[in-house]
Amino acid sequence: MFRVGDKIVHPMHGAGIVDEIVERKVNGIVRDYYSLKLPSGDMLVMIPTDTCEAIGVRSILTGDETERVLGEISHLEVQMDTNWNHRYRDNMLRLKSGNLLEVAKVVKGLSGRDSRRGLSTGERKMLHTAKQIMASEIGLAQHISYQEAECRVNQATHA
């Protein structure tokens, strides 16, 4: 169980800080929720405490671990299916894994495809989400601003 002040990652929303633990009644069911404050856009995510493991919520990586991921991006070989539906499904599975290196594969693969052919609206949104997930965790882990982390992700992707 996480505590107020812990830095955690939600696979589909990125990293944030547990702002509070609150009891809420939703659809007639009373549950405890983590109130997760995200660094990008001042967004607030409510996560049921009893489903965190199933969702894939985890503690953030260390600064050194995120630096290693950034360093590995230029060496990643990413195979992208030519079929849009298969590519989208594969990338969605990578995002949902909660693994920062898998998210980096989405960023690298879609960035490369964007520079060669352009992206559909759905894939452009997915690329934006993947970058946001990476930047939020890197920023918190390395104690830098979200904007600085975003620049680091972009530099690593285009190196």
Side-chain angles (χ1 to χ4, degrees):
M1 184 154 181
F2 300 109
R3 296 182 303 225
V4 172
D6 285 352
K7 296 175 182 178
I8 63 175
V9 179
H10 184 288
M12 294 305 294
H13 296 290
I17 300 171
V18 176
D19 197 38
E20 61 182 333
I21 301 171
V22 296
E23 185 178 86
R24 293 274 158 82
K25 186 176 186 178
V26 178
N27 295 333
I29 301 170
V30 177
R31 300 165 97 174
D32 286 336
Y33 289 83
Y34 293 117
S35 176
L36 183 64
K37 186 161 176 50
L38 302 178
S40 62
D42 290 329
M43 192 167 129
L44 190 65
V45 176
M46 301 297 285
I47 308 167
T49 59
D50 58 347
T51 61
C52 279
E53 193 171 319
I55 293 170
V57 175
R58 62 173 173 78
S59 296
I60 68 167
L61 299 176
T62 66
D64 289 343
E65 290 169 326
T66 59
E67 194 61 40
R68 183 183 51 76
V69 169
L70 285 169
E72 288 181 25
I73 291 175
S74 63
H75 306 295
L76 288 176
E77 293 291 328
V78 183
Q79 297 296 320
M80 288 274 165
D81 198 304
T82 55
N83 180 295
W84 184 89
N85 289 329
H86 294 161
R87 191 171 56 245
Y88 191 87
R89 184 191 66 230
D90 292 345
N91 283 331
M92 189 58 72
L93 289 172
R94 286 183 175 125
L95 289 180
K96 286 181 178 179
S97 76
N99 181 314
L100 196 60
L101 194 55
E102 289 298 310
V103 176
K105 289 179 184 178
V106 174
V107 172
K108 179 150 187 189
L110 290 179
S111 293
R113 186 165 183 84
D114 189 27
S115 66
R116 290 187 308 277
R117 309 188 123 149
L119 296 175
S120 67
T121 303
E123 285 186 311
R124 189 169 309 287
K125 184 177 181 202
M126 181 178 277
L127 175 58
H128 175 77
T129 298
K131 283 183 174 182
Q132 178 266 318
I133 290 168
M134 285 194 72
S136 65
E137 184 163 7
I138 290 165
L140 283 177
Q142 296 187 7
H143 309 289
I144 59 176
S145 73
Y146 178 81
Q147 291 75 20
E148 288 176 87
E150 198 171 37
C151 286
R152 302 262 346 258
V153 170
N154 288 331
Q155 288 170 348
T157 304
H158 296 96

